[in-house]
Amino acid sequence: MGKREEYANRTEKLALPIIEEMGFELVDTEYVKEAGTDYLRLYIDREGGITISECEVVSRRMSVLLDEEDFIPDAYIFEVSSPGLGRTLKKDRDFERELGSEVEVKLFKAVDGQKEYTGYLDDYDENTITIGFEDDTQITFERSEIAKINLAVHF
């Protein structure tokens, strides 16, 4: 496990009691570098969505814990936010919750000449994701082939 995963995992362990106490769901935790700056991010949600004020409360409470624990030696920016409408699906609980939802799948390499597919999440297991289409056809991808899978958003 690399330091980024370690930081995210330790942060998740600190955050879970706070988030569960508030009745929220921890969607994801990440420690990433963007444009030369390190970011530690918590994505939280709940039925009906999350407000900016609720993100602020979690951020304030977590900031105190992160300062006390001080396990990240590098400078970073800490953010707490909603995963957004087009949330990324990563964990089995995400797939379970979103069965039947329309998703956008981006692949590392083209399959049947395409790298992007939009369809309905029909099934999943530990190794595969199955997407169904309007014409009742399906395609199954190995999880290792998928660069990113998000809920589809239409405006």
Side-chain angles (χ1 to χ4, degrees):
M1 175 184 316
K3 75 175 185 175
R4 295 193 179 284
E5 293 84 13
E6 178 189 339
Y7 297 162
N9 289 341
R10 286 185 70 176
T11 301
E12 190 167 306
K13 286 179 182 153
L14 288 175
L16 273 172
I18 293 169
I19 291 166
E20 289 173 353
E21 171 192 319
M22 297 180 75
F24 304 152
E25 172 194 358
L26 179 59
V27 175
D28 198 14
T29 307
E30 65 181 7
Y31 186 81
V32 296
K33 185 179 284 288
E34 293 176 359
T37 302
D38 289 324
Y39 291 88
L40 176 61
R41 293 189 178 119
L42 289 180
Y43 295 96
I44 61 175
D45 208 357
R46 71 177 167 142
E47 187 77 28
I50 205 90
T51 68
I52 292 172
S53 297
E54 292 165 331
C55 290
E56 287 177 27
V57 170
V58 172
S59 178
R60 276 190 238 108
R61 290 183 66 185
M62 277 299 299
S63 290
V64 170
L65 290 177
L66 288 167
D67 287 345
E68 287 173 1
E69 296 291 322
D70 198 25
F71 57 86
I72 302 174
D74 307 316
Y76 63 91
I77 295 172
F78 178 60
E79 298 177 341
V80 178
S81 71
S82 160
L85 293 175
R87 73 190 293 167
T88 300
L89 307 181
K90 293 183 176 182
K91 301 175 180 173
D92 282 348
R93 68 176 183 241
D94 299 330
F95 295 113
E96 180 65 30
R97 180 183 48 250
E98 301 303 339
L99 277 171
S101 296
E102 189 174 16
V103 294
E104 296 172 346
V105 178
K106 294 182 179 158
L107 305 173
F108 290 112
K109 295 180 182 176
V111 171
D112 296 331
Q114 284 184 240
K115 284 183 77 173
E116 296 183 12
Y117 290 83
T118 300
Y120 296 90
L121 181 60
D122 280 349
D123 200 9
Y124 72 95
D125 62 32
E126 67 183 51
N127 299 312
T128 62
I129 302 292
T130 301
I131 306 301
F133 303 99
E134 296 286 335
D135 64 1
D136 291 329
T137 60
Q138 290 182 322
I139 188 167
T140 299
F141 302 104
E142 293 293 322
R143 283 195 184 192
S144 60
E145 295 176 303
I146 299 172
K148 194 171 191 180
I149 182 168
N150 294 72
L151 289 178
V153 178
H154 300 285
F155 293 99

